[in-house]
């Protein structure tokens, strides 16, 4: 019951294994795929509660030697900080890690991004594997090699491209994930359909509900399709000089909403992206690129699963048009002051639009949601 998706990146290629029970089997899999390594598991407190013991048992049973105790970090976005990065590196160096040490990131995007960045920089780069435990990290952050931490100037502004050696997406780990986190991750699944796969979006309209309700086969199918889409895009453009920017669909608006919320948990990343995707389709429709019905269809699906899908879904103080536009101007994907958006000519027909007129964006935000 394990599926495999390959990320083709020449000498940095790797497999994503997808299926239930992979955390418990990680020891055996690693002993076979990357023999002779000393492993340092890195996780957070919430994930450790459910998933650390089965991992450690599997490592022991497979005769894999952990290099010291697992590193257990506080849960939450604030962990992606310089302070935690320093602590983690000093901890690793204090254990006498060497180039044969393998970091194992067990957790969501926070643990994966931080541990991946530590792996990219410790001893100028050691290997790491991703064992993602949130839907968002299974379909997005664990694949593609973007690692990093936040700065006081913004999210993910410090980091490195560093590909994992292997990704083990244990679909059963999602059973312990809080429902709101699961839904937020689902927004990123929908994104792949909207980028370039209208048939997948249609499939999600029929099956998304089952996936959210826990249907194991639907989960595996959606994660496989999402990882295959991400693997294809990353394989074509590892460092985001062109096509990879499509993965930012909904993110320019989404990041602005997150920034306006002050990253205080009012809005999860995936929730912001859900609203952002609707706004991207709305802007596309207003610019005459796609039909208004496309925006309505995206919003309908997000609403049907319980995701936010309108500006009105966030508190008024977080959607002041001028402030949102100012946040968009600060987004690191903004080049030389012009606004870049992922827009769409229809469902599954997204493209990168440079030099979008800020006035058009402002007018749309001022007009608010359609009746
Ligand atoms: P997260 O890592 O903070 O996890 C969300 C919460 O769920 C945390 O409290 C965590 O402890 C808990 N949790 C995780 N797995 C669990 C499980 N199986 N059972 C119970 N609780 C569990 O958040 P996330 O949504 O996974 O990731 C968000 C981060 O990912 C952001 O920092 C974002 O910038 C980053 N990201 C990175 C990329 C990339 O390409 N590197 C892409 C998208 C997002």
């Amino acid at each position: 019951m394990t599926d495999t998706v390959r990320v083709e990146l020449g000498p940095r290629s790797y497999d994503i294994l997808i299926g239930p029970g992979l955390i418990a089997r990680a020891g055996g899999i690693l002993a076979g795929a990357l023999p002779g390594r000393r492993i340092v598991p890195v996780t957070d407190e919430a994930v450790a509660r459910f998933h650390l013991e089965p991992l450690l048992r599997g490592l022991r049973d497979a005769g894999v030697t952990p290099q010291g105790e697992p590193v257990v970090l506080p849960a939450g976005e604030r962990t992606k900080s310089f302070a935690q990065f320093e602590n983690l590196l000093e901890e690793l160096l204090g254990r006498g890690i060497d180039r044969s040490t393998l970091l194992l990131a067990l957790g969501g995007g926070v643990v994966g991004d931080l541990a991946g960045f530590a792996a990219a920089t410790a001893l100028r780069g050691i290997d790491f594997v991703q064992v993602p435990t949130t839907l968002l990290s299974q379909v997005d952050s664990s694949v593609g090699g973007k690692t990093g931490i936040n700065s006081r100037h913004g999210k993910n502004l410090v980091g490195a491209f560093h590909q994992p050696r292997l990704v083990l997406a244990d679909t059963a780990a999602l059973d312990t994930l809080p429902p709101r986190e699961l839904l937020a991750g689902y927004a990123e699944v929908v994104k792949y359909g909207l980028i370039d796969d209208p048939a997948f979006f249609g499939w999600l309209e029929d099956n998304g509900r089952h996936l959210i309700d826990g249907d194991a086969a639907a989960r595996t199918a959606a994660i496989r399709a999402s990882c295959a889409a991400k693997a294809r895009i990353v394989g074509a453009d590892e460092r985001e000089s062109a096509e990879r920017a499509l993965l930012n669909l909904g993110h320019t608006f989404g990041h602005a909403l997150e920034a306006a919320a002050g990253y205080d948990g009012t809005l999860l990343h995936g929730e912001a992206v859900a609203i952002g995707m609707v706004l991207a389709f709305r802007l596309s429709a207003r610019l005459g690129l796609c039909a208004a019905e496309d925006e309505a269809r995206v919003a309908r699906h997000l609403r049907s699963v319980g995701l936010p899908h309108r500006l009105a879904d966030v508190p008024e103080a977080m959607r002041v048009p001028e402030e949102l536009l100012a946040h968009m101007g600060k987004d690191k994907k903004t080049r030389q002051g012009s606004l870049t958006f992922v827009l769409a000519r229809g469902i599954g027909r997204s493209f990168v639009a440079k030099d979008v007129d800020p006035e058009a964006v402002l007018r749309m935000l001022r007009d608010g949601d359609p009746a």
Side-chain angles (χ1 to χ4, degrees):
M1 272 264 293
T2 304
D3 285 15
T4 304
V5 172
R6 181 119 182 118
V7 185
E8 291 290 355
L9 286 169
R12 294 181 306 287
S13 300
Y14 53 96
D15 286 334
I16 307 164
L17 306 190
I18 303 158
L22 283 167
I23 291 178
R25 286 169 46 214
I29 294 167
L30 292 175
L34 296 162
R37 299 305 191 88
R38 289 190 300 167
I39 294 186
V40 182
V42 181
T43 188
D44 73 30
E45 285 159 357
V47 177
R49 211 168 299 135
F50 299 107
H51 302 294
L52 187 55
E53 248 333 291
L55 174 81
L56 296 178
R57 208 176 314 120
L59 291 175
R60 264 196 312 273
D61 291 351
V64 178
T65 335
Q67 193 163 5
E69 290 298 307
V71 180
V72 183
L73 304 162
E77 185 67 33
R78 290 161 80 98
T79 290
K80 271 176 57 174
S81 65
F82 278 104
Q84 291 292 348
F85 174 65
E86 180 183 353
N87 290 344
L88 177 56
L89 276 182
E90 294 292 6
E91 175 65 38
L92 295 172
L93 295 170
R95 292 177 185 204
I97 58 162
D98 60 28
R99 287 264 166 78
S100 72
T101 303
L102 184 68
L103 284 198
L104 184 154
L106 172 73
V110 164
V111 167
D113 281 11
L114 174 65
F117 187 40
T121 47
L123 309 177
R124 297 203 177 82
I126 60 172
D127 288 340
F128 81 120
V129 295
Q130 292 268 23
V131 186
T133 59
T134 61
L135 183 55
L136 180 137
S137 57
Q138 295 189 350
V139 299
D140 192 357
S141 65
S142 68
V143 176
K146 279 192 184 178
T147 71
I149 57 174
N150 304 327
S151 134
R152 83 168 76 98
H153 297 286
K155 268 189 65 164
N156 299 325
L157 292 181
V158 178
F161 285 97
H162 188 52
Q163 299 293 342
R165 293 293 305 270
L166 183 67
V167 180
L168 304 177
D170 186 338
T171 50
L174 302 180
D175 293 343
T176 60
L177 192 64
R180 190 176 164 203
E181 295 285 354
L182 185 81
L183 261 187
Y186 182 75
E188 303 279 359
V189 174
V190 172
K191 182 183 79 178
Y192 293 110
L194 297 179
I195 290 175
D196 65 356
D197 195 344
F200 183 48
F201 182 75
W203 184 87
L204 290 171
E205 286 179 312
D206 295 336
N207 295 282
R209 189 73 260 163
H210 307 310
L211 182 171
I212 289 159
D213 290 343
D215 180 321
R219 279 188 182 171
T220 301
I223 294 166
R224 185 185 51 229
S226 302
C227 286
K230 180 139 187 192
R232 192 182 49 66
I233 292 174
V234 168
D237 176 23
E238 185 179 6
R239 289 182 164 250
E240 197 168 314
S241 47
E243 197 182 349
R244 189 165 177 166
L246 290 171
L247 295 169
N248 298 323
L249 174 63
H251 283 59
T252 308
F253 288 114
H255 283 155
L257 290 165
E258 280 184 285
Y263 306 105
D264 65 352
T266 313
L267 204 56
L268 299 179
H269 175 70
E271 294 169 340
V273 167
I275 299 172
M277 291 190 298
V278 175
L279 293 177
F281 271 81
R282 187 180 302 169
L283 183 58
S284 304
R286 287 173 71 119
L287 294 173
L289 293 163
C290 74
E293 170 52 23
D294 291 329
E295 177 206 338
R297 195 174 153 200
V298 176
R300 226 170 15 246
H301 179 54
L302 297 173
R303 188 184 59 223
S304 76
V305 296
L307 272 165
H309 56 282
R310 305 172 296 195
L311 279 168
D313 289 333
V314 301
E316 213 165 338
M318 277 173 48
R319 49 181 156 95
V320 177
E322 294 72 17
E323 278 176 27
L324 290 178
L325 194 69
H327 285 303
M328 287 177 215
K330 283 192 226 134
D331 197 286
K332 76 173 177 298
K333 275 125 196 162
T334 310
R335 299 237 164 94
Q336 283 136 23
S338 74
L339 287 179
T340 299
F341 283 91
V342 180
L343 297 179
R345 297 193 174 87
I347 293 202
R349 296 177 61 206
S350 297
F351 67 100
V352 178
K354 303 208 161 101
D355 296 323
V356 174
D357 178 9
E359 276 304 314
V361 178
L362 200 55
R363 271 196 304 275
M364 178 185 82
L365 294 173
R366 283 182 181 146
D367 287 349
D369 301 308

